[in-house]
C-alpha cells in the first residue's frame, strides 16, 4: 500500500511511465495542473508557491520510496520533481495566457535540461532530496526570468 501511494505521487498519476520523454510529460502535467487550479480554483502566484511548499516533503518521501524499490539513483519514472519545478515557474506569472503558459514551460525545461550553476550542484544531494532539488531550482530560475521579462522586458502579458 505504501509503495502504491508513493508511486502515484512520484510518477504524478503515472505520467512518469510515458515511454518517451517522461520529464517533459511531467512538466506538461505541471502546466495542466496550474491551468486547472488557476481556472477552477482561482489559484494565483502565492497559491502556487504554497502548493509547492506543501507538496515538497511528500514528494521527497515518495521519491525515496521509488529509489529504494527500484534500486536506481534517479529513476526516470519519478516526475514529481518536474511537476513541482514547473509549478514554481508559475510563481512569477501574473497574466495567465497562452503566452505565459508557453514561456513558463519552455524556460523551465531549458533550465531543467541545461542545469546551470548551482542547479547542477543540487542534483548531487542524497536520494529524494537530490532528485527534487535540482528541478525546484530550475523552477526558481524560470520564475526569475519571467519576473525580469515581465518587469524589465516589456512583456506585460506574462
Amino acid at each position: 500500500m505504501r509503495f502504491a501511494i508513493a508511486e502515484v505521487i512520484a510518477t504524478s498519476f503515472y505520467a512518469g511511465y510515458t515511454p518517451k520523454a517522461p520529464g517533459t510529460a511531467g512538466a506538461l502535467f505541471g502546466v495542466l495542473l496550474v491551468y486547472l487550479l488557476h481556472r477552477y480554483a482561482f489559484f494565483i502566484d502565492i497559491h502556487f508557491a504554497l502548493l509547492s511548499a506543501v507538496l515538497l516533503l511528500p514528494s521527497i518521501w515518495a521519491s525515496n520510496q521509488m529509489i529504494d524499490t527500484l534500486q536506481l539513483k534517479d529513476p526516470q519514472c519519478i516526475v514529481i520533481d518536474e511537476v513541482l519545478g514547473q509549478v514554481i515557474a508559475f510563481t512569477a506569472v501574473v497574466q495567465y495566457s497562452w503566452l505565459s503558459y508557453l514561456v513558463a514551460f519552455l524556460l523551465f525545461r531549458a533550465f531543467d535540461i541545461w542545469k546551470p550553476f548551482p542547479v547542477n550542484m543540487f542534483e548531487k544531494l542524497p536520494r529524494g532530496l537530490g532528485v527534487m532539488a535540482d528541478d525546484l531550482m530550475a523552477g526558481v530560475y524560470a520564475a526569475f526570468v519571467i519576473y525580469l521579462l515581465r518587469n524589465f522586458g516589456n512583456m506585460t502579458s506574462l
Side-chain angles (χ1 to χ4, degrees):
M1 180 69 170
R2 186 168 64 176
F3 175 76
I5 293 168
E7 184 179 30
V8 168
I9 294 168
T11 64
S12 298
F13 296 93
Y14 309 106
Y17 290 125
T18 303
K20 298 220 188 248
T24 300
L28 288 171
F29 184 88
V31 171
L32 176 63
L33 180 65
V34 166
Y35 173 78
L36 293 172
L37 289 173
H38 174 71
R39 181 162 175 99
Y40 298 107
F42 309 106
F43 272 41
I44 58 171
D45 53 357
I46 189 68
H47 299 124
F48 292 121
L50 291 171
L51 177 67
S52 298
V54 166
L55 292 179
L56 181 58
L57 289 179
S59 299
I60 293 171
W61 170 81
S63 297
N64 284 335
Q65 295 297 312
M66 294 292 287
I67 289 166
D68 291 345
T69 301
L70 299 175
Q71 295 294 301
L72 296 170
K73 184 180 179 200
D74 188 356
Q76 283 191 330
C77 63
I78 297 175
V79 295
I80 189 63
D81 51 336
E82 275 87 6
V83 173
L84 290 187
Q86 187 65 72
V87 169
I88 288 171
F90 280 91
T91 60
V93 170
V94 175
Q95 301 292 325
Y96 292 84
S97 65
W98 69 268
L99 180 62
S100 62
Y101 285 100
L102 180 64
V103 169
F105 173 75
L106 292 175
L107 283 172
F108 169 72
R109 287 305 290 152
F111 286 120
D112 183 28
I113 293 165
W114 176 27
K115 297 192 186 314
F117 182 81
V119 174
N120 59 347
M121 301 300 290
F122 284 114
E123 69 182 346
K124 294 176 182 164
L125 293 169
R127 300 173 29 81
L129 181 60
V131 169
M132 296 298 299
D134 66 315
D135 291 287
L136 299 178
M137 192 64 198
V140 169
Y141 275 26
F144 182 66
V145 172
I146 290 168
Y147 173 82
L148 292 175
L149 289 171
R150 197 181 74 242
N151 290 292
F152 302 107
N154 202 25
M155 292 187 74
T156 56
S157 60
L158 293 179

